[in-house]
Amino acid sequence: EWGVPVHDDRRLFEKICLEGFQAGLSWLTILRKREAFRQGFAGFDFAQVARFREKDVERLLGNKGIVRHRGKIESAIQNARRALEVEKEFGSLDRYFWSYEGRTAQELSEDLKRRGWTFVGPTTVYAFMQAMGLVDDHERGCWRHGAG
C-alpha cells in the first residue's frame, strides 16, 4: 500500500494521524495497532473525531491497543477539527493534499501548521507524502515506479 496514490479523504486523514502517532516509534508498532486505532478513532471519520471531548481522550488513554500518548491523541482530535475546515475550503482533503504534489514536504508542513494542525513536522509530512503517493520514491527498476 505504501506509495500507491490515495484519494480517499478518510484514508488520507488516517495516514496523517498515524504518521503523527508513529513519531519516535517503529512503523511495525503502528501497523500492529492499526485496527485498534481505527476502532478507537471512529474509523478515522474526521467529522466524528472532531466531536471527541475529554471523556474520549480518557477512553483512548485507557485503550491498550493504541499508542497512549495524550499529546498525540489530542493532536488527532485537533487535526480532525482542522480537517473539517480544509474540507470546507477546498471541497475535500484530497484536493488540498494533492495540490502539494510536486511541492516540498516543508511547504505542506508549514501550511498545515499555519492552519493549526499539530504533529505535522516536515519529516512526518514527507513520510505521509511518500506513503500516499504524492511523492514517487520507488526506484526506477521497481514495478511501481511511475505507475501513479
Side-chain angles (χ1 to χ4, degrees), residues 1-5 133 136-148:
E1 69 186 77
W2 182 88
V4 177
D136 185 354
D137 279 346
H138 293 279
E139 297 197 13
R140 290 205 184 279
C142 177
W143 67 275
R144 285 290 322 161
H145 179 75

Side-chain angles (χ1 to χ4, degrees), residues 1-109:
E1 69 186 77
W2 182 88
V4 177
V6 172
H7 294 281
D8 177 83
D9 281 5
R10 191 180 289 207
R11 288 196 51 218
L12 290 163
F13 180 69
E14 174 181 354
K15 187 65 170 123
I16 197 94
C17 288
L18 292 180
E19 288 290 350
F21 275 102
Q22 187 272 329
L25 303 171
S26 76
W27 254 112
L28 186 55
T29 298
I30 300 303
L31 288 175
R32 286 181 176 152
K33 295 176 178 283
R34 184 161 55 176
E35 285 308 314
F37 273 113
R38 286 176 175 161
Q39 289 175 8
F41 284 92
F44 289 98
D45 177 336
F46 51 93
Q48 286 187 46
V49 176
R51 293 191 299 268
F52 281 14
R53 298 292 178 246
E54 182 59 30
K55 68 179 172 64
D56 297 295
V57 173
E58 294 302 323
R59 173 182 55 80
L60 291 164
L61 284 169
N63 183 341
K64 293 180 182 178
I66 68 167
V67 174
R68 296 178 294 169
H69 182 287
R70 178 178 287 276
K72 292 178 179 183
I73 291 168
E74 290 174 345
S75 173
I77 297 166
Q78 164 80 359
N79 291 349
R81 294 173 184 150
R82 302 297 72 84
L84 289 173
E85 294 167 358
V86 166
E87 180 185 52
K88 185 175 181 180
E89 181 179 345
F90 288 84
S92 67
L93 292 184
D94 177 61
R95 282 193 193 130
Y96 171 72
F97 284 125
W98 281 89
S99 74
Y100 281 88
E101 183 180 20
R103 296 167 67 185
T104 70
Q106 182 70 39
E107 290 174 281
L108 177 53
S109 172

Side-chain angles (χ1 to χ4, degrees), residues 98-125:
W98 281 89
S99 74
Y100 281 88
E101 183 180 20
R103 296 167 67 185
T104 70
Q106 182 70 39
E107 290 174 281
L108 177 53
S109 172
E110 287 174 2
D111 191 61
L112 286 167
K113 288 177 183 179
R114 183 184 64 74
R115 294 171 179 279
W117 293 61
T118 56
F119 279 90
V120 288
T123 301
T124 297
V125 169

